[in-house]
Amino acid sequence: MYTGFLKNVWYVGLPSHELAIGKTQARKIMNEPVVFFRDSKGKASAMRDICPHRGIPLSYGRVVNDQLECPYHGWKFNGSGVCTEIPSLCPDQDLNPNKIKVRSYPVHEAQGLIWIFVGDKDYDMTKAPAVPVMKALPQDVKPKLTYVVNFPCHVDHAVIGLMDPAHGPYVHKSWFWRSEKTMLEKKKKFAPVDFGFQMVRHQPSKNSKAYKILGGAPTTEITFTLPCVRVEHIEVGPRNFYSFTALTPVDDMNTRVTQLAYWDIPWLSLLKPALNAFSKNFLGQDMDAVTKQQDGLKYDPSLMLIKDADTQAKWYYSLKTEYHEHLEQKREFQHPVKETELRWRS
């Protein structure tokens, strides 16, 4: 079972609205410092957040003529990480700045998120899991709600905690969701998708009260794809609601969770304040659970995954391990998930 960070995959760098034109934003991804900046045309770029000259983070600098300027000596780098200017050089000094480079990362911006591809420079990105998009919504759509929070745990525990179907009545105990007193037996069909799996479309369980605010007869499908993206797509007639969660490993003990919501249901916007409060409360309950979990994990206990409630967690580890091994062994990806039906109580 592979428990390291996956490379050669797309991770969420940051929400689009956090990166203004002419500004920088520093992030840490998989223990590496990364700086994002946006040029005057709105194009986002990302590179290693360390100047190769004296090691100062470039994110402390500024964007000048669409170049990222180091705050220490004014060296400038374009969006590809190439040094374009060294102000201290005299005209007759033989040093070509263009031969100096900072590692740059491919970025892709869509539907309110800036994605970053973290991996080997010579890797064919077309073989990687695609950037997840909401197929029923346009590429330039903006999320109705955005919430980013740090989970103080390894990305594996954050992923498993968020996909776990059995913790709801205890972690999310509330009048607007459910409790152990309303637990029912669930039976859901699952099927493999590219680099992931999906709980196929179904009507929500009777004790899932939150779905009732959408009215009508909603149906939902939940898809998980590598490296760690969960998308719930709810359909109410011709209308759509998406709950989108992406996890980005910061370091060995921190994971950035980006939660977004999209919808094309006009009247639902009237409930935006309530939905925002619900999202923050719901994700906060998950964060509280994994934070308390660390008090036990520090003793390095042996952990269990049971059938069927923890089968999705087993699939996650299987998918992650297979993806890592197919890269290491330079072979085709062999999907470990088969179509099946799972049962649990929640």
Side-chain angles (χ1 to χ4, degrees):
M1 182 172 66
Y2 181 65
T3 58
F5 299 139
L6 283 186
K7 63 178 182 178
N8 295 319
V9 287
W10 291 94
Y11 287 104
V12 167
L14 69 165
S16 295
H17 74 268
E18 293 186 6
L19 190 64
I21 288 178
K23 299 297 182 180
T24 67
Q25 285 287 353
R27 293 291 185 271
K28 184 163 69 169
I29 300 174
M30 291 167 53
N31 286 307
E32 284 293 322
V34 177
V35 57
F36 294 85
F37 76 95
R38 195 186 293 279
D39 66 20
S40 60
K41 297 179 181 179
K43 180 182 178 182
S45 299
M47 66 183 72
R48 192 164 191 256
D49 193 16
I50 296 178
C51 181
H53 180 213
R54 299 294 295 277
I56 192 171
L58 292 168
S59 56
Y60 288 125
R62 58 176 183 160
V63 180
V64 180
N65 296 326
D66 293 340
Q67 316 283 303
L68 188 52
E69 181 186 79
C70 175
Y72 207 166
H73 299 90
W75 290 26
K76 295 181 179 64
F77 299 86
N78 64 22
S80 298
V82 177
C83 183
T84 59
E85 181 183 346
I86 298 178
S88 63
L89 284 179
C90 297
D92 60 342
Q93 290 180 320
D94 186 19
L95 175 61
N96 182 1
N98 295 164
K99 292 184 178 180
I100 302 171
K101 298 182 179 180
V102 176
R103 179 182 180 182
S104 63
Y105 297 89
V107 298
H108 179 82
E109 188 165 7
Q111 297 180 337
L113 289 173
I114 298 174
W115 297 81
I116 178 172
F117 189 84
V118 183
D120 302 319
K121 293 182 180 180
D122 58 349
Y123 181 73
D124 182 359
M125 292 189 296
T126 63
K127 296 181 179 180
V131 176
V133 295
M134 276 33 74
K135 295 179 180 179
L137 301 177
Q139 289 293 294
D140 59 352
V141 70
K142 296 180 180 179
K144 304 289 188 179
L145 296 174
T146 303
Y147 185 48
V148 182
V149 65
N150 183 77
F151 276 24
C153 66
H154 188 278
V155 66
D156 287 351
H157 291 296
V159 170
I160 291 175
L162 292 173
M163 70 166 49
D164 172 19
H167 74 280
Y170 299 93
V171 173
H172 302 297
K173 185 185 304 184
S174 61
W175 65 268
F176 56 82
W177 192 244
R178 65 182 67 146
S179 72
E180 70 272 22
K181 296 180 181 179
T182 63
M183 290 175 65
L184 299 174
E185 181 176 318
K186 311 292 174 62
K187 184 186 297 184
K188 309 294 183 184
K189 293 182 179 180
F190 288 81
V193 298
D194 289 345
F195 302 103
F197 56 88
Q198 182 180 88
M199 183 189 296
V200 301
R201 187 161 295 282
H202 61 281
Q203 291 185 337
S205 303
K206 294 180 180 179
N207 62 344
S208 298
K209 299 177 183 178
Y211 292 94
K212 294 181 180 180
I213 67 171
L214 297 175
T219 62
T220 182
E221 68 178 18
I222 301 174
T223 306
F224 174 85
T225 53
L226 290 177
C228 28
V229 177
R230 177 190 184 275
V231 181
E232 180 170 7
H233 178 200
I234 304 171
E235 289 184 343
V236 186
R239 299 296 185 177
N240 302 273
F241 182 98
Y242 284 95
S243 173
F244 184 101
T245 307
L247 284 72
T248 304
V250 176
D251 53 37
D252 293 336
M253 286 303 298
N254 289 280
T255 300
R256 189 161 50 251
V257 181
T258 304
Q259 175 81 53
L260 302 96
Y262 307 76
W263 62 79
D264 57 10
I265 307 171
W267 63 265
L268 196 57
S269 296
L270 298 175
L271 300 179
K272 188 173 180 178
L275 291 172
N276 188 45
F278 171 82
S279 177
K280 290 184 177 181
N281 182 70
F282 201 80
L283 203 55
Q285 291 170 331
D286 283 313
M287 181 177 65
D288 183 59
V290 297
T291 301
K292 292 175 179 176
Q293 183 186 26
Q294 303 314 300
D295 289 341
L297 292 179
K298 65 185 179 183
Y299 297 102
D300 195 23
S302 297
L303 304 179
M304 299 173 58
L305 293 175
I306 67 171
K307 183 183 177 182
D308 284 2
D310 292 331
T311 294
Q312 293 179 71
K314 293 180 181 180
W315 286 341
Y316 163 68
Y317 279 120
S318 296
L319 285 161
K320 185 179 177 182
T321 300
E322 170 59 21
Y323 193 81
H324 171 73
E325 291 183 352
H326 105 278
L327 292 175
E328 292 290 305
Q329 299 171 17
K330 298 181 179 180
R331 57 170 175 78
E332 292 297 315
F333 179 82
Q334 299 172 5
H335 208 302
V337 179
K338 307 300 180 184
E339 187 172 338
T340 190
E341 184 176 78
L342 301 179
R343 297 167 56 239
W344 66 87
R345 294 184 71 248
S346 67

